[in-house]
C-alpha cells in the first residue's frame, strides 16, 4: 500500500472535495482519500504507482502537485465517529434548510433583498451538505446527476435574485422593513451559532467537518452584514444598504452554484 500526498492549490471548500472524490473514487487502485482543506492537501492511499492519480487530478484543473509518495498501512476507520459526524451534519442540514424557508418568506414579506440573498446562501450550504450525505455509496453518475440538479436550482434562484436587485436599483420597490430584517437575521445568526457549536463537538480535522465549520463561520459574517444593512436602512431611510448587501451575497451564491455545476461534468 502506498500513501501519496498532493498539494491542490484551488481546493478551498467541499465543492472541490466532491469533485476530487468523483474523479478518484472510481479508480480501482484507490483505497482511501483524506482531505486537509485549510492546508489544501490531499492524501491518497492506493495500490500501484501514483502517475494515474496525478493524471486524473490534473484533468480537474485545480492546480495539483505531487509532494511525496511512500509505503504506508491503511488507517483503520472509526465507524462510531463517522456516525456522530453524520448525525451532526443532518442537524446542520436541517437548520440551514429551515432558515432558508424562514428568511425567504420574511425577505419577501419585508421586501429585503438581504434576507432573500441570505436565505439562498443557507440553501446553498444545505445543498452541499445534502449532496455529501444523500449520495454516500451512490454511483458516480448518480452523484453527478444530483450535483447538476442542485447547481441549476441554486443558479436559477440567484439569477432571479439579481434580476430583482437590478429592478430595485432602477427605482422600483419599497424601502424594506428594517425591523423584520434585523430580527430575522438575528435569529439566523443564533441558528448558525448553534450549528457552529455542534460542529465543534466533532473532530474538525476531517475535511467535510472543516468545510462545514468554514461555511457556517462565513454565514455568521453574512448574518452580521444583513443586521448592519437593516440598521443602515433605518438610519438612511433608503433601500441602498439592503440592495448592496443582497448583491454581495447573491454573488457568493452564484460562485457556489458554478462550483457545484462543475461536479456534474
Amino acid at each position: 500500500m502506498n500513501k501519496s500526498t498532493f498539494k491542490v492549490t484551488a481546493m478551498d471548500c467541499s465543492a472541490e472535495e466532491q469533485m476530487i472524490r468523483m474523479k478518484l473514487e472510481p479508480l480501482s487502485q484507490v483505497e482511501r482519500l483524506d482531505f486537509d482543506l485549510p492546508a489544501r492537501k490531499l492524501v491518497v492511499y492506493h495500490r500501484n504507482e501514483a502517475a494515474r492519480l496525478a493524471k486524473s487530478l490534473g484533468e480537474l484543473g485545480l492546480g495539483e502537485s505531487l509532494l511525496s509518495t511512500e509505503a504506508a498501512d491503511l488507517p483503520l476507520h472509526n465507524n462510531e465517529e463517522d456516525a456522530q459526524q453524520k448525525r451532526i451534519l443532518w442537524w446542520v442540514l436541517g437548520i440551514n434548510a429551515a432558515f432558508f424557508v424562514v428568511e425567504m418568506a420574511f425577505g419577501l414579506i419585508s421586501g429585503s433583498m438581504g434576507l432573500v440573498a441570505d436565505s439562498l446562501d443557507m440553501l446553498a450550504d444545505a445543498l452541499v451538505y445534502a449532496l455529501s450525505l444523500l449520495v454516500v455509496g451512490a454511483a458516480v453518475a448518480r452523484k453527478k446527476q444530483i450535483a447538476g440538479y442542485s447547481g441549476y436550482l441554486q443558479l436559477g434562484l440567484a439569477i432571479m435574485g439579481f434580476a430583482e436587485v437590478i429592478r430595485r436599483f432602477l427605482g422600483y420597490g419599497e424601502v424594506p422593513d428594517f425591523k423584520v430584517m434585523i430580527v430575522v437575521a438575528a435569529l439566523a445568526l443564533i441558528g448558525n451559532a448553534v450549528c457552529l457549536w455542534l460542529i465543534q463537538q466533532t473532530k474538525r480535522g476531517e475535511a467535510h467537518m472543516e468545510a462545514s465549520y468554514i461555511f457556517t463561520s462565513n454565514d455568521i459574517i453574512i448574518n452580521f452584514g444583513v443586521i448592519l444593512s437593516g440598521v443602515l436602512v433605518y438610519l438612511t431611510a433608503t433601500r441602498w444598504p439592503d440592495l448592496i448587501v443582497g448583491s454581495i451575497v447573491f454573488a457568493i451564491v452564484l460562485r457556489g452554484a458554478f462550483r457545484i455545476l462543475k461536479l456534474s461534468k
Side-chain angles (χ1 to χ4, degrees):
M1 181 67 60
N2 293 319
K3 181 179 80 171
S4 293
T5 302
F6 293 87
K7 181 77 171 181
V8 187
T9 56
M11 182 179 69
D12 58 5
C13 81
S14 64
E16 284 83 16
E17 177 191 342
Q18 289 295 326
M19 289 172 63
I20 293 171
R21 285 190 182 279
M22 284 191 279
K23 192 69 174 178
L24 296 187
E25 284 179 348
L27 300 181
S28 58
Q29 71 184 105
V30 173
E31 294 292 339
R32 173 169 170 162
L33 303 175
D34 287 339
F35 295 82
D36 184 347
L37 293 182
R40 291 175 168 77
K41 288 185 179 180
L42 165 66
V43 176
V44 184
Y45 292 88
H46 62 95
R47 298 183 300 277
N48 304 325
E49 299 297 322
R52 187 180 178 190
L53 301 176
K55 180 181 178 182
S56 295
L57 275 175
E59 293 172 358
L60 294 175
L62 296 177
E64 87 298 333
S65 59
L66 178 61
L67 299 180
S68 65
T69 297
E70 59 187 347
D73 294 326
L74 187 66
L76 295 176
H77 217 60
N78 190 328
N79 293 327
E80 182 178 344
E81 187 175 276
D82 284 351
Q84 180 198 23
Q85 289 180 355
K86 285 184 178 180
R87 284 195 301 270
I88 288 177
L89 283 177
W90 275 113
W91 273 103
V92 173
L93 169 61
I95 291 172
N96 275 271
F99 272 102
F100 158 66
V101 175
V102 170
E103 287 196 294
M104 176 63 75
F106 281 98
L108 295 175
I109 291 171
S110 66
S112 169
M113 286 295 97
L115 284 179
V116 171
D118 194 20
S119 76
L120 293 185
D121 185 61
M122 289 284 202
L123 174 64
D125 291 350
L127 289 175
V128 172
Y129 297 145
L131 182 65
S132 299
L133 287 167
L134 298 178
V135 300
V136 173
V140 174
R142 179 61 175 163
K143 292 182 179 182
K144 291 185 177 182
Q145 183 182 42
I146 294 175
Y149 291 155
S150 301
Y152 282 120
L153 172 62
Q154 188 176 325
L155 180 63
L157 291 172
I159 290 174
M160 286 190 291
F162 265 123
E164 179 63 14
V165 167
I166 293 172
R167 189 181 76 87
R168 295 192 180 202
F169 265 121
L170 295 176
Y172 300 95
E174 70 284 356
V175 175
D177 187 331
F178 71 90
K179 294 179 183 177
V180 175
M181 291 176 63
I182 294 172
V183 171
V184 175
L187 291 174
L189 176 63
I190 293 171
N192 279 317
V194 171
C195 290
L196 205 61
W197 177 80
L198 287 170
I199 294 168
Q200 287 177 327
Q201 307 310 303
T202 70
K203 182 182 177 182
R204 263 187 47 217
E206 297 282 339
H208 55 297
M209 300 311 296
E210 189 67 33
S212 301
Y213 183 88
I214 293 169
F215 282 170
T216 306
S217 299
N218 291 339
D219 287 344
I220 288 176
I221 295 172
I222 292 173
N223 294 149
F224 275 118
V226 176
I227 292 171
L228 177 60
S229 70
V231 173
L232 292 176
V233 166
Y234 166 69
L235 294 176
T236 64
T238 68
R239 65 172 76 89
W240 303 113
D242 177 58
L243 294 180
I244 291 170
V245 169
S247 297
I248 293 171
V249 181
F250 280 133
I252 294 171
V253 173
L254 270 178
R255 179 172 178 262
F258 285 122
R259 282 183 163 184
I260 292 176
L261 284 173
K262 287 183 70 175
L263 302 181
S264 65
K265 297 180 179 179

